[in-house]
Amino acid sequence: MSNTLIDRRRFVQFLVASPLLGALGSLASPGQLRAAEGLRGQSIESPDSAINVFDLEAVAAESLPPAHFGYIQTGVDGDLTLRANEEAFGHYYLRPRRLVDVSRIDTSVSLFGRTWHSPIALCPCGSQGAFDEDGEIASARAARSKDHLQILSTLSSKPIEDVIEARGEPIWFQLYPTGRWDITKRMLRRAEAAGCPVVVLTVDLPSGVNNRDSLKRAILRDARECSQCHTPGKRAPMFEGTDFEYTSFSQATLTWDFVKRLRDETSMKVLIKGIVTAEDAERCIEYGANGIVVSNHGGRADETGRAAIDSLAEVAPVVNRRVPVLMDSGIRRGNDIIKALALGADAVCIGRPYLWGLSAFGQAGVERALQILTDELKVGMEFAGTPSIKDINRSMVGTA
Ligand code: FNR
């Protein structure tokens, strides 16, 4: 564990023991302090001690500067969609089957000709250098050691080529098209040259601007000079060699024709991320998309108040296995994954759980997050009576 983390922990312990804090009344223990931050886990000393992903969240809260932790946690407006994403898994119950041989659990899935040992992928999450010095490289090393799919953000803190080297094989590239075709083409060529088989087009942030109240409040609590990560005009490595600065990021002019244009331009498979309705899923297929990611950006794009798992329940039957459907937003437990697969997802992606691990313990923390969720998934599959992923179907869930 880093000295900074130990120092922060000692500081919290000192605060808690201090009569000064007692005088503050209700915030009397580390648990209550974390509860006040909306955390559910316990602080731990090493990744192996994490019982669930929320234990990693608790350490991330202690280790990161408030603004950086706030950047991970934030939703938009009143965080309604953010909360709905997690809570809505509780509206679905599992319908386990008994007397099935579950002595061998096979969690593998195949996507575009590559078989993965697990249906859990790492979401594209930008600016990981703000959570760990090695950022996306640490995530890539963890994805490699645990053999998971990694999707790399346009706003990666590390160059795509370095991440691929750390991963040991090409990752999938997530594209924010920026509204400038020359920049988009350049990024596509670079991702293709690096060997990426898939480009994931994110379509749920039209202007790149939204109302992240929780982040704004966290920034107000953080007086540090943070020139390393947020220098105005700082460029992500993906924009190297261009005049583009992602502070001016906008894709407000984007329409469905762009999907076709992208398909015509690139040799990579094209997935569309941010789809939440059956109508748009149908359009994705009509315009030639090779796959769909049902996602509301972890509740940090628009404030619809609707959970992504409910969107999946609407979208998957319409897609009807014509193209692969991935789902993200709110997955925190192995049983959440079973519910998503039962409702029609071919694979799922996680965002915050691995960023908590990364912030808490670097590569080892990401590995722990992946291990916890995979172990929970396996136990859940045993109880559900589904020895392989293909055994998980719509009959496994009901609505409460
Ligand atoms: C994101 N997400 C995101 N999505 C994307 O397409 N490109 C990006 O650069 C980012 N960046 C990003 C940063 C951070 C800090 C977070 C938390 C999320 C959204 C991400 O891919 C995914 O949709 C959500 O994180 C999934 O929800 P959960 O698992 O975090 O609840």
Side-chain angles (χ1 to χ4, degrees):
M1 187 176 353
S2 74
N3 286 338
T4 323
L5 179 52
I6 293 168
D7 289 343
R8 279 173 187 274
R9 175 105 18 98
R10 284 194 185 127
F11 179 64
V12 171
Q13 282 162 354
F14 160 76
L15 260 187
V16 167
S18 156
L20 273 177
L21 189 66
L24 290 178
S26 61
L27 292 182
S29 73
Q32 282 167 310
L33 283 172
R34 282 193 298 277
E37 297 232 59
L39 304 182
R40 289 78 36 118
Q42 294 293 312
S43 193
I44 45 158
E45 301 286 326
S46 72
D48 288 347
S49 312
I51 291 170
N52 55 42
V53 296
F54 302 118
D55 289 348
L56 300 169
E57 179 185 29
V59 182
E62 287 184 11
S63 333
L64 288 180
H68 290 194
F69 185 63
Y71 179 60
I72 294 179
Q73 300 298 89
T74 194
V76 292
D77 292 354
D79 292 348
L80 189 67
T81 315
L82 173 76
R83 283 196 303 276
N85 278 340
E86 289 188 22
E87 286 166 10
F89 282 101
H91 305 159
Y92 296 89
Y93 58 79
L94 290 170
R95 299 184 65 252
R97 301 300 303 274
R98 307 300 187 208
L99 297 172
V100 179
D101 180 352
V102 287
S103 55
R104 289 169 148 239
I105 295 291
D106 176 7
T107 58
S108 64
V109 295
S110 294
L111 293 169
F112 304 116
R114 158 77 153 97
T115 299
W116 309 89
H117 94 93
S118 160
I120 308 169
L122 300 184
C123 283
C125 293
S127 310
Q128 292 181 26
F131 314 133
D132 174 82
E133 202 180 326
D134 292 331
E136 290 82 357
I137 304 270
S139 298
R141 290 185 181 131
R144 178 182 198 160
S145 77
K146 297 285 175 187
D147 186 31
H148 288 255
L149 167 63
Q150 179 182 16
I151 309 176
L152 188 72
S153 168
T154 296
L155 301 181
S156 170
S157 321
K158 306 288 177 191
I160 189 168
E161 297 80 6
D162 296 359
V163 176
I164 287 173
E165 195 186 335
R167 176 61 187 81
E169 70 177 80
I171 44 74
W172 292 8
F173 172 61
Q174 177 267 325
L175 175 70
Y176 280 134
T178 76
R180 271 183 56 185
W181 184 242
D182 61 320
I183 306 278
T184 300
K185 269 208 306 200
R186 198 182 164 110
M187 287 196 283
L188 293 174
R189 293 291 93 80
R190 187 167 163 187
E192 285 163 359
C196 297
V198 173
V199 57
V200 179
L201 172 69
T202 300
V203 295
D204 55 12
L205 278 180
S207 66
V209 175
N210 61 8
N211 198 26
R212 294 182 176 170
D213 285 8
S214 302
L215 174 60
K216 287 177 194 160
R217 287 194 202 291
I219 289 170
L220 287 176
R221 285 195 286 128
D222 200 337
R224 289 159 324 115
E225 168 64 27
C226 201
S227 53
Q228 280 307 304
C229 12
H230 324 288
T231 313
K234 181 172 162 44
R235 292 172 187 191
M238 207 60 202
F239 300 124
E240 251 165 36
T242 76
D243 61 354
F244 185 77
E245 297 188 345
Y246 73 75
T247 45
S248 62
F249 168 79
S250 167
Q251 52 189 38
T253 56
L254 223 61
T255 61
W256 283 99
D257 290 337
F258 184 86
V259 175
K260 187 172 178 313
R261 196 173 188 191
L262 189 60
R263 284 276 291 123
D264 292 344
E265 181 66 38
T266 182
S267 54
M268 293 181 278
K269 302 275 188 216
V270 174
L271 266 60
I272 316 286
K273 174 174 183 278
I275 297 302
V276 291
T277 62
E279 296 91 321
D280 279 352
E282 196 59 62
R283 292 210 106 179
C284 286
I285 295 174
E286 190 187 322
Y287 279 81
N290 303 104
I292 291 170
V293 185
V294 174
S295 164
N296 58 32
H297 219 107
R300 50 200 286 129
D302 46 4
E303 181 76 318
T304 61
R306 189 186 194 201
I309 190 71
D310 292 330
S311 294
L312 175 70
E314 173 182 320
V315 166
V318 170
V319 174
N320 198 18
R321 308 272 175 206
R322 283 177 288 172
V323 295
V325 173
L326 283 69
M327 180 266 171
D328 74 41
S329 300
I331 287 176
R332 305 289 180 263
R333 290 284 186 184
N335 278 338
D336 297 344
I337 299 170
I338 295 181
K339 289 172 185 176
L341 297 174
L343 288 168
D346 294 282
V348 298
C349 313
I350 55 165
R352 293 181 184 85
Y354 88 89
L355 296 182
W356 295 331
L358 178 68
S359 310
F361 301 109
Q363 175 187 345
V366 179
E367 287 172 353
R368 186 69 192 136
L370 290 168
Q371 191 63 54
I372 288 170
L373 289 172
T374 302
D375 289 348
E376 287 182 358
L377 171 63
K378 283 183 178 162
V379 171
M381 287 172 68
E382 279 176 20
F383 276 111
T386 52
S388 74
I389 297 288
K390 70 172 166 25
D391 298 317
I392 302 174
N393 60 50
R394 186 65 184 78
S395 74
M396 309 306 304
V397 284
T399 44

